[in-house]
């Protein structure tokens, strides 16, 4: 499959026109690779480490969730990471394509995969957008779990380096309804509270957002940005493999930019 055909297939599923006004979905760098057979390296974040990996593997497309370029660039200068990414992309003929908030909304996107990992049933979006799609997912646990069992399942299945949750007096309380949203989802706390969810799994939550969640009688669980979104990248690789591409692989140099001192 040519890169142009792969992008056409993907955009029929996750239209970049659905992305938010502040976002930057679609082509980040297209150095003239559209008619080449697709050799795709999938990653969460396009970094220099991922670019070096793509060069070593002879990939011609980096397919990322996070945009390389969020804001309009005023300059490109030697020594800057984005400038180096641009130089290497054109030197080695490697395109960079991003699917961000459009990929968040769709079936088998970031939120949907997270709900599947927790085996949620009767799943619906936290905030619907169009055609049954939307941001986040909320559904039922079957069987119900205690809070301690839910936290253990998240730790086992997502392997976050650090798992933060709201203070609670009873780890043995029964949890039946859970909301999930991969990446930075604290701004959806009030919307989640209206769904009747007892617990909300997301990331990048600040101190007072845990307070807000507590005041909404909602258990907030922060498993980190990388751990909550990386699984959807793995699912995307599986979807691409079903298209019989020339070559596709999940990046091994993708990074969680945080470390925790034991």
């Amino acid at each position: 499959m040519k890169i142009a055909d792969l992008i056409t297939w993907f955009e029929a599923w996750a239209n970049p026109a659905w992305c938010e006004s502040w976002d930057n979905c679609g082509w980040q760098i297209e150095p003239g690779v559209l008619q080449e057979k697709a050799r795709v390296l999938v990653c969460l974040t396009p970094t220099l480490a991922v670019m070096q990996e793509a060069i070593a593997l002879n990939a011609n497309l980096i397919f990322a969730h996070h945009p390389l370029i969020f804001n309009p660039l005023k300059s490109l200068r030697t020594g800057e990471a984005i400038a180096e990414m641009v130089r290497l992309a054109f030197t080695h003929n490697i395109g960079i394509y991003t699917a961000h908030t459009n990929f968040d909304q769709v079936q088998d996107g970031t939120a949907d995969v997270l709900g599947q990992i927790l085996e949620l049933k009767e799943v619906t979006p936290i905030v619907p957008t169009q055609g049954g799609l939307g941001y986040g997912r909320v559904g039922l646990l079957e069987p119900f779990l205690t809070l301690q069992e839910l936290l253990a399942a998240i730790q086992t299945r997502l392997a976050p380096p650090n798992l933060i949750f709201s203070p609670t007096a009873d780890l043995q309380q029964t949890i039946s309804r859970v909301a999930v949203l991969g990446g930075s989802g604290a701004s959806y706390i009030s919307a989640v509270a209206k769904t009747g969810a007892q617990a909300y799994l997301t990331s990048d939550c600040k101190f007072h957002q845990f307070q807000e969640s507590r005041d909404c009688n909602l258990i907030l669980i922060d498993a980190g940005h990388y751990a909550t979104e990386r699984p959807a990248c793995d699912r995307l690789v599986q979807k691409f493999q079903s298209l019989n591409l020339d070559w596709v692989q999940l990046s091994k140099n993708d990074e969680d930019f945080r470390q925790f001192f034991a």
Side-chain angles (χ1 to χ4, degrees), residues 53-223:
E53 182 183 15
I55 293 169
L57 294 170
N58 197 30
N60 55 18
L61 177 64
I62 294 173
F63 200 106
H65 178 48
H66 294 148
L68 174 68
I69 303 168
F70 260 119
N71 301 307
L73 299 174
K74 295 184 178 180
S75 68
L76 291 170
R77 302 180 62 185
T78 300
E80 296 175 344
I82 292 181
E84 185 66 6
M85 290 285 285
V86 172
R87 185 186 71 80
L88 291 171
F90 278 92
T91 300
H92 296 275
N93 214 36
I94 298 172
I96 301 177
Y97 184 96
T98 287
H100 197 215
T101 47
N102 55 327
F103 186 52
D104 288 331
Q105 300 176 56
V106 296
Q107 183 180 0
D108 288 337
T110 54
D112 212 42
V113 168
L114 206 52
Q116 292 168 25
I117 288 172
L118 292 185
E119 301 178 1
L120 299 182
K121 310 297 183 184
E122 300 179 27
V123 174
T124 56
I126 295 170
V127 177
T129 51
Q130 70 277 317
L133 307 179
Y135 292 110
R137 297 293 185 268
V138 59
L140 299 176
L141 286 171
E142 293 182 2
F144 300 163
L145 298 176
T146 65
L147 176 56
Q148 184 168 359
E149 289 170 336
L150 175 60
L151 293 171
I154 293 169
Q155 184 67 51
T156 298
R157 298 173 193 180
L158 297 184
N162 197 40
L163 188 61
I164 308 169
F165 65 99
S166 300
T168 177
D170 184 12
L171 283 170
Q172 299 309 309
Q173 67 186 103
T174 299
I175 305 295
S176 60
R177 188 166 176 80
V178 176
V180 299
L181 193 151
S184 302
S187 62
Y188 290 87
I189 289 173
S190 60
V192 171
K194 295 175 183 177
T195 69
Q198 298 159 280
Y200 176 35
L201 170 63
T202 187
S203 75
D204 298 344
C205 301
K206 298 180 181 179
F207 179 86
H208 288 295
Q209 291 163 337
F210 278 92
Q211 177 190 7
E212 176 190 357
S213 182
R214 183 202 63 188
D215 292 346
C216 292
N217 198 32
L218 177 68
I219 299 166
L220 186 59
I221 305 170
D222 187 331

Side-chain angles (χ1 to χ4, degrees), residues 1-14 16 27 97:
M1 177 180 281
K2 293 180 180 179
I3 289 178
D5 297 327
L6 173 64
I7 299 303
T8 297
W9 173 88
F10 180 84
E11 291 184 350
W13 168 42
W27 282 107
Y97 184 96

